């Protein structure tokens, strides 16, 4: 069974699986237990380990005890008595950034059951398959699968409008959209930090959003990370939440005003 994910970094998670082997007969038996992961091709495995309550099975609790992506042998000729199930906890460390130029996959996240809803397959999400060999012939006698998903959250910001106001100032409007292109819900904080040319003064600011957040923003802008537009917001898989930010500005190039009296246009330092 899929035991869930724990976020360990901006694009990193620990993934947990629980594997239970049961003996429903009346005599002691033995088995080999193997496990194989076949994740979405954008997911990178960085470490793996497991623990077990099976008597005599040492597990590999170290930080990077299992190598590669499997198949891993978790038990060899393991003895099991009737009516006493044996449990294995497998933890796999993963990274994923589908928007990175260096992602190893196709940059598109395929969630569990993408091809056939309700029936996950290899190459989707966090697909994992365990198998047991009951007679040491190297052929799997029974297999079972589990699959879970990761969030994939990204942000996109655009300058939407620039309007001259009756008081001589200008209203600049930005739209900020947060996308979850993964297969599981994720959380985020959204901050915004204007860093305008030094001749541009912020007079007032406010924002609205499609998820109910909004209000007047304090001026002057707080130090980094700036304005907090949303905090601990959960975004479901496949959803897009957008924020509209309105900033009233005054451009003053008169002698003695704040700034160097020269407006540096966007991209003037880096050439675009």
């Amino acid at each position: 069974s899929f035991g869930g994910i724990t976020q360990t970094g901006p694009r990193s998670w620990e993934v947990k699986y629980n594997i239970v082997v049961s003996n429903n007969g009346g005599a002691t038996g033995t088995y080999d237990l193997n496990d194989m992961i076949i994740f979405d091709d954008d997911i990178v495995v960085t470490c793996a380990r497991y623990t077990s309550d099976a008597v005599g099975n040492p597990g590999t609790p170290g930080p990077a005890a299992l190598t590669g992506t499997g198949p891993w042998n978790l038990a060899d000729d393991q003895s099991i008595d009737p009516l006493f199930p044996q449990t294995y906890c497998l933890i796999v460390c993963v990274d994923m950034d589908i928007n990175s130029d260096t992602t190893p996959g196709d940059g598109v996240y395929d969630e569990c059951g993408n091809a056939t809803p309700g029936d996950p397959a290899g190459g989707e999400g966090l697909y994992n398959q365990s198998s047991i060999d009951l007679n040491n012939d190297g052929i799997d006698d029974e297999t079972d699968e589990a699959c879970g998903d990761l969030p994939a959250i990204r942000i996109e910001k655009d300058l939407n409008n620039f309007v001259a106001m009756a008081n001589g100032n200008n209203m600049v409007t930005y739209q900020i959209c947060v996308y979850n292109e993964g297969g599981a819900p994720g959380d985020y904080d959204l901050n915004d930090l204007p860093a305008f040319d030094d001749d541009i003064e912020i007079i007032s600011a406010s924002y609205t959003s499609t998820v109910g957040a909004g209000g007047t923003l304090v001026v002057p802008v707080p130090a980094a990370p700036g304005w907090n537009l949303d905090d601990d917001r959960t975004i479901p898989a496949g959803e897009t939440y957008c924020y509209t930010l309105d900033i009233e500005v005054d451009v003053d190039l008169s002698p003695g005003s704040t700034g160097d009296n020269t407006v540096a246009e966007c991209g003037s330092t880096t050439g675009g």
Side-chain angles (χ1 to χ4, degrees), residues 135-157:
N135 57 357
N136 263 339
D137 64 355
I139 299 174
D140 296 334
D141 295 297
E142 186 178 351
T143 63
D144 202 4
E145 63 183 5
C147 192
D149 284 303
L150 293 174
I153 299 174
R154 70 176 179 90
I155 186 174
E156 185 174 309
K157 184 175 185 177

Side-chain angles (χ1 to χ4, degrees), residues 165-272:
M165 302 174 66
N167 63 4
N169 293 335
N170 293 277
M171 184 66 73
V172 186
T173 301
Y174 301 91
Q175 185 177 66
I176 308 163
C177 288
V178 180
Y179 303 84
N180 185 353
E181 297 172 335
D187 298 332
Y188 66 88
D189 299 337
L190 178 62
N191 300 302
D192 191 271
L193 182 63
F196 294 160
D197 178 277
D198 59 9
D199 294 292
I200 300 175
E201 180 186 3
I202 296 176
I203 305 301
S204 66
S206 63
Y207 76 106
T208 58
S209 82
T210 57
V211 287
T216 301
L217 296 168
V218 63
V219 176
V221 182
W227 292 315
N228 177 249
L229 306 187
D230 219 336
D231 184 59
D232 293 338
R233 175 66 64 180
T234 298
I235 181 170
E239 284 289 337
T240 302
Y241 292 161
C242 290
Y243 302 75
T244 301
L245 175 61
D246 293 311
I247 305 177
E248 180 184 353
V249 299
D250 174 36
V251 182
D252 188 353
L253 303 180
S254 62
S257 63
T258 300
D260 60 6
N261 295 332
T262 301
V263 175
E265 70 274 14
C266 296
S268 61
T269 301
T270 59

